[in-house]
Amino acid sequence: GTALQVGQTVVETEVGGRIVRAVVGAGGKVVRVIDDLGPASGPGRYVTKTETKAAEAAALEERVAFGRPGETYRVPYQNPNRRGRPYVDFDGAAPNGMPIDSKVRIVTSPKTVNQATRQAEALRQSGQTGVWKVTSYREALRARSMVKRASAADVIRIVVEK
């Protein structure tokens, strides 16, 4: 926990173009930053998420998607499925707030198409575009096919970055 002095409180606020969870003193001045929640201009926030990833995928996520170990960039989503989650996850966000997903390999499956569909709808709802970063031209072609099948080409861009 965070030990607070009399008159201090914990708030989410903007500091230097970032949304942070911080301790604020009685006068409203930030005393110390507890957590960096992501770019102020983006549609989502970084949240803690435990998931198992191959070392190659985790390294790619950190390198090209501004990902953070043990965290995900969560974007609100008005899910038409009432039992579904009210958010979609991306691996990270660019400094300008654009959500990014990194992909070592594109698996051509209904699950990948469904992920693209949900991500695209969340992006549309927030008026944003996002990026899928892949490791090769071959994977870019597969990704483009998945994004087209999901009718998501208007909001998800494919970028090759090794």
Side-chain angles (χ1 to χ4, degrees), residues 37 44 70-71 78 86 88 90 105 115 124-125 138 147:
L37 301 175
E71 295 184 332
Q78 294 174 7
V88 295
F90 289 83
R105 281 175 210 81
Q115 178 190 31
R124 285 185 197 105
Q125 289 171 6
R138 180 179 175 190
V147 167

Side-chain angles (χ1 to χ4, degrees), residues 74-151:
R74 185 158 285 168
V75 175
Y77 170 48
Q78 294 174 7
N79 195 333
N81 175 358
R82 287 180 294 162
R83 291 185 181 162
R85 294 184 176 125
Y87 59 82
V88 295
D89 290 340
F90 289 83
D91 292 331
N96 68 359
M98 180 183 291
I100 300 172
D101 234 19
S102 58
K103 310 275 188 201
V104 174
R105 281 175 210 81
I106 298 293
V107 179
T108 54
S109 70
K111 181 179 176 186
T112 306
V113 174
N114 290 338
Q115 178 190 31
T117 300
R118 287 189 309 275
Q119 286 182 341
E121 190 52 37
L123 290 166
R124 285 185 197 105
Q125 289 171 6
S126 64
Q128 298 281 318
T129 57
V131 175
W132 277 12
K133 290 192 175 182
V134 298
T135 57
S136 70
Y137 180 71
R138 180 179 175 190
E139 294 305 316
L141 292 175
R142 294 171 73 140
R144 184 171 294 130
S145 171
M146 292 293 98
V147 167
K148 279 185 181 177
R149 284 178 39 196
S151 300

